[in-house]
């Protein structure tokens, strides 16, 4: 009888080797080491912890443990591909599918949307983010005092804008954010809330940040996907020949890199000041504080074909920096000098700059570059 558990585990390894079972059913992480006996899917350790938060739906077990024949049969009868065909059958093109690098809250809500709420089996359950209109209250960080206050938000595809109101009965919005330049990215650590969302938009071609959260994670993810839906429908009109595959990466974007660096002014004679930097595609912005509404300045980073380069180190005559790991960005107009605290940070920043510089510029990016050159 001692053979039986070993035989079951060999059968389990055969099931794991089937197409689709070699990556996590929920985030795509390779080599999942857990399985949901009730749902019949294989998941990674991080997602298995999220499955534990819905014990009425999912019961997980490690593939390293001893399995009995009935348990192997359960996962063998389903598997990741069959489960996806059921639980993800009607995922809208714009809906954000988290990966293992996304924040815990996004991954948990994806798992709950699939298995607990069955959102992608019944289209009517997608109303909160598919209707083209959404209104509600979010906690918004005050620009000057840093306090979070409840504000009414309205997203309207018909008006092409997301707007918010400072007073409940106000007729005119405090801000109108055009869907055309809108972006949203989850920033739980920066905002200090697991549901913290950073929304950016362009105002007079400068980036404006607003920071919001909601105490209900589903509400926040619904807002995020409603913004993505509005962006998707806007882009479908703006680029009528484009496929879904071309448009989906343009809906929202995470920043390429963020963190503190020191910088000096254009004459390179002023002392270096510590600033928070955000690399958003080709815009490198710097802030006094990570939660500032406006950047102190923005630098456009073009491509190598247009004489942009990034160098490790600073010119030999440079003085006034406390951090020793320098970076020089050469643009057609001037050199920008930065200093990082550690070699690892310097390496990460150079890699982010290099990725952008190595990418040829798109036609619309030349117009952005021209605007930067004419800034006073």
């Amino acid at each position: 009888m001692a053979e039986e558990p070993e035989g079951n585990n060999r059968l389990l390894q055969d099931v794991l080797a089937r197409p689709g079972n070699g990556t996590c059913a929920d985030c795509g992480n390779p080599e999942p080491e857990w399985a949901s006996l009730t749902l019949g899917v294989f998941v990674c350790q991080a997602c298995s912890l999220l499955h534990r938060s819905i014990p009425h739906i999912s019961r997980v077990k490690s593939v390293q443990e001893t399995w009995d024949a009935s348990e192997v049969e359960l996962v063998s009868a389903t598997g990741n591909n069959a489960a996806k065909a059921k639980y993800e059958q009607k995922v809208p093109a714009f809906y954000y599918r988290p990966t293992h690098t996304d924040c815990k809250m996004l991954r948990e809500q994806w798992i709950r949307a699939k298995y607990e709420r069955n959102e992608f089996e019944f289209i009517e359950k997608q109303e909160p983010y598919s209707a083209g209109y959404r209104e509600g209250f979010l906690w918004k960080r005050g620009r000057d005092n840093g306090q979070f206050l409840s504000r009414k938000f309205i997203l309207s595809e018909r008006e092409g804008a997301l707007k918010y109101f400072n007073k409940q009965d106000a007729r005119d919005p405090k801000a109108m954010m055009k869907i055309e330049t809108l972006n949203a990215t989850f920033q739980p650590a920066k905002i200090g809330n697991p549901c913290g969302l950073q929304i950016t938009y362009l105002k007079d071609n400068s980036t404006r940040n607003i920071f919001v959260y909601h105490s209900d994670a589903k509400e926040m993810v619904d807002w995020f996907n409603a913004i993505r839906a509005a962006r998707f429908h806007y882009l479908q009109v703006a680029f009528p020949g484009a496929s879904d595959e071309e448009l989906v990466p343009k809906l929202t974007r995470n920043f390429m890199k963020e963190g503190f660096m020191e910088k000096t002014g254009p004459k390179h004679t002023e002392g270096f000041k510590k600033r928070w930097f955000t690399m958003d595609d080709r815009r490198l912005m710097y802030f006094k504080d990570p939660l500032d509404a406006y950047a102190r300045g923005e630098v456009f980073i073009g491509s190598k074909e247009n004489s942009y380069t990034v160098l490790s180190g600073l010119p030999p005559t440079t003085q006034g920096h406390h951090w020793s790991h320098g970076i020089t960005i050469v643009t057609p107009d001037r050199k920008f000098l930065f200093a990082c605290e550690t070699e690892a940070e310097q390496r990460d920043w150079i890699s982010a700059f290099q990725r952008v510089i190595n990418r040829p510029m798109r036609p619309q990016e030349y117009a952005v570059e021209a605007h930067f050159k004419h800034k006073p």
Side-chain angles (χ1 to χ4, degrees), residues 261-265 267-273 277 309-330 334-341 346 350 353:
M261 288 194 288
E262 293 181 330
K263 68 168 286 293
T264 185
K267 296 190 182 72
H268 301 171
T269 51
E270 307 95 308
F272 277 68
K273 291 191 173 82
F277 283 82
T309 50
V310 57
L311 308 168
S312 176
L314 298 169
T317 54
T318 312
Q319 292 179 325
H321 50 98
H322 304 284
W323 291 346
S324 53
H325 305 280
I327 299 174
T328 302
I329 292 183
V330 183
R334 61 169 273 203
K335 288 179 179 174
F336 291 90
L337 309 185
F338 308 110
C340 302
E341 189 173 15
Q346 177 197 39
I350 288 174
F353 294 141

Side-chain angles (χ1 to χ4, degrees), residues 37-54:
L37 299 176
T38 34
L39 298 167
V41 294
F42 292 95
V43 296
C44 68
Q45 187 184 2
C47 288
S48 78
L49 294 172
L50 301 175
H51 276 253
R52 287 178 196 273
S53 68
I54 48 168

Side-chain angles (χ1 to χ4, degrees), residues 262-331:
E262 293 181 330
K263 68 168 286 293
T264 185
K267 296 190 182 72
H268 301 171
T269 51
E270 307 95 308
F272 277 68
K273 291 191 173 82
K274 182 179 165 185
R275 293 287 180 257
W276 176 266
F277 283 82
T278 296
M279 181 80 179
D280 184 10
D281 201 36
R282 290 197 187 274
R283 286 174 183 262
L284 176 67
M285 300 168 273
Y286 55 92
F287 305 84
K288 198 167 182 183
D289 183 274
L291 297 174
D292 282 349
Y294 291 99
R296 289 293 174 101
E298 302 192 38
V299 180
F300 180 85
I301 307 218
S303 65
K304 58 187 177 191
E305 291 88 352
N306 299 80
S307 308
Y308 289 82
T309 50
V310 57
L311 308 168
S312 176
L314 298 169
T317 54
T318 312
Q319 292 179 325
H321 50 98
H322 304 284
W323 291 346
S324 53
H325 305 280
I327 299 174
T328 302
I329 292 183
V330 183
T331 77

Side-chain angles (χ1 to χ4, degrees), residues 31 38 44 110 116 136 141 183 280 301 344:
E31 297 177 19
T38 34
C44 68
W110 167 239
E116 186 180 46
R141 187 180 191 272
N183 184 40
D280 184 10
I301 307 218

Side-chain angles (χ1 to χ4, degrees), residues 190-245:
K190 190 156 113 180
I191 295 170
N193 184 285
C195 301
L197 187 73
Q198 179 173 350
I199 296 172
T200 64
Y201 63 102
L202 291 183
K203 187 178 177 183
D204 307 323
N205 212 39
S206 289
T207 305
R208 165 89 161 94
N209 295 321
I210 65 168
F211 302 95
V212 297
Y213 71 86
H214 195 288
S215 55
D216 183 316
K218 180 189 183 299
E219 279 285 307
M220 207 63 254
V221 174
D222 285 350
W223 271 107
F224 178 62
N225 280 304
I227 289 170
R228 286 177 61 85
R231 292 265 311 142
F232 184 55
H233 299 140
Y234 163 78
L235 290 170
Q236 282 179 316
V237 174
F239 303 100
S243 67
D244 289 0
E245 288 72 27

Side-chain angles (χ1 to χ4, degrees), residues 12 16 101 113 121 157 199 293 312 316:
L12 180 63
L16 259 171
T101 58
E121 295 168 67
E157 287 188 19
I199 296 172
S312 176

